[in-house]
Amino acid sequence: MARFQHTVTLAPVPRRWFESCVVTLHDLAESIEADGARLRLPDGRRLPELLLTEGSHLRPGARYHPENDDGSGPDIDQTLTILAWDRKRETALELVTLDDELDGPGHMACTLRLTSAERPSDAKLSVKLETGGGRWTKYAEGSGRLHLDLGKWWASAAGSGRRTTAPVTAKLDHALARATVAAVPRPAGDGCWRVTVTMRVTGRSFVRLLLPLAMTVMGRRARGAFAKALDDAAKQWNDQVPELVRKDMEQLPLELVESLFGIDEEGTSPSLGT
């Protein structure tokens, strides 16, 4: 087994702001109206690049596809499905992507679950990649699960809670290796978060025998790469999050729509119009 650990300092996200943002995103989604397959904002502007192809908007079973670049219809290689939409209980979405460029048809499914929108307490993300090609394609497959206990996160970030309990845990499974990740925040003296990330990697199949040797030869370089990846991610977080947190919550939904769907100031998509 190989063990990696590194600590980074992150700009904090206020709990009240985060919870308001979750509510705002739900408000934004619920303000969008379905006009057949087309989706429209409350002021009547068309929401480009996304089509409702099955079910009722935001109801369990509703399916959405991005629109083809030429406007000819839905791109069936990508599907967003509403699994649950209940502010008091759970919001759950599934995104499935098909890719025929792999050695055989590729299938990636991502599922996000949040409990609940009114008082977020728990978030889970699962990812699964499968291929349907030959015998060696199993080495291109894998799965991952991430669990964020929001109650434990806020408590730990404030300096309370059990130090041995990680608010963030993740598991990654591959034919050749299995990794577990844990992240624990603690308060820094300037109000920031000091987040310690620990990863343990266990080899599978023939890699189980090779991993100890590889760590003996390249352990320092591997730990350096692990630390650099976290430092780079922390830099991006600290460059972007403080500005985002300072934004007016009433302006944030409009900026999200503009950034996600490319709507210009006049309310049209540069490529699709109204």
Side-chain angles (χ1 to χ4, degrees):
M1 181 182 75
R3 183 178 183 273
F4 305 85
Q5 187 174 83
H6 188 62
T7 299
V8 294
T9 300
L10 301 180
V13 174
R15 181 171 188 171
R16 182 172 297 179
W17 183 91
F18 173 80
E19 293 178 348
S20 296
C21 190
V22 171
V23 170
T24 298
L25 290 173
H26 279 72
D27 288 342
L28 172 61
E30 292 170 5
S31 71
I32 295 171
E33 298 182 353
D35 180 11
R38 301 293 181 186
L39 300 174
R40 296 189 179 276
L41 296 170
D43 58 10
R45 289 180 298 167
R46 176 187 161 197
L47 191 67
E49 301 180 4
L50 193 64
L51 302 174
L52 173 64
T53 60
E54 186 176 331
S56 301
H57 180 50
L58 295 185
R59 298 289 186 181
R63 291 188 175 182
Y64 306 82
H65 296 280
E67 191 168 17
N68 286 317
D69 293 338
D70 59 4
S72 60
D75 178 1
I76 61 174
D77 287 342
Q78 298 183 66
T79 305
L80 175 66
T81 303
I82 304 295
L83 303 179
W85 193 276
D86 187 328
R87 286 182 179 236
K88 294 183 178 180
R89 296 182 179 180
E90 181 185 52
T91 301
L93 311 173
E94 180 187 56
L95 177 63
V96 175
T97 302
L98 303 179
D99 188 351
D100 292 332
E101 295 182 0
L102 297 171
D103 184 12
H107 175 278
M108 184 173 71
C110 302
T111 303
L112 175 64
R113 297 182 180 274
L114 175 68
T115 310
S116 65
E118 293 186 353
R119 184 68 173 175
S121 61
D122 201 77
K124 295 179 180 179
L125 174 67
S126 64
V127 180
K128 189 171 185 178
L129 175 63
E130 297 179 330
T131 59
R135 57 180 296 189
W136 299 108
T137 57
K138 68 177 182 179
Y139 297 112
E141 298 180 343
S143 64
R145 301 184 302 278
L146 183 145
H147 176 215
L148 169 58
D149 187 318
L150 289 162
K152 290 181 180 178
W153 178 274
W154 300 120
S156 183
S160 58
R162 297 174 56 189
R163 289 178 178 269
T164 57
T165 303
V168 179
T169 56
K171 293 183 179 180
L172 305 174
D173 282 299
H174 185 267
L176 298 179
R178 175 176 294 161
T180 60
V181 181
V184 179
R186 304 301 294 179
D190 57 357
C192 292
W193 296 335
R194 285 185 58 80
V195 182
T196 299
V197 182
T198 304
M199 182 172 70
R200 294 177 173 84
V201 181
T202 303
R204 306 175 72 176
S205 185
F206 61 88
V207 175
R208 183 177 302 177
L209 301 176
L210 297 178
L211 184 60
L213 177 61
M215 289 303 298
T216 300
V217 176
M218 302 183 62
R220 178 177 295 182
R221 181 177 297 180
R223 291 186 174 88
F226 176 75
K228 184 179 186 303
L230 290 178
D231 287 339
D232 290 346
K235 184 180 185 304
Q236 289 189 345
W237 175 285
N238 293 330
D239 287 344
Q240 299 175 14
V241 168
E243 182 180 357
L244 181 64
V245 170
R246 289 193 295 266
K247 288 185 181 294
D248 186 341
M249 192 57 67
E250 294 183 357
Q251 183 68 16
L252 187 58
L254 178 59
E255 293 190 10
L256 286 172
V257 170
E258 291 175 347
S259 62
L260 288 173
F261 299 101
I263 295 178
D264 62 22
E265 294 181 355
E266 297 181 356
T268 62
S269 166
S271 59
L272 299 176
T274 56

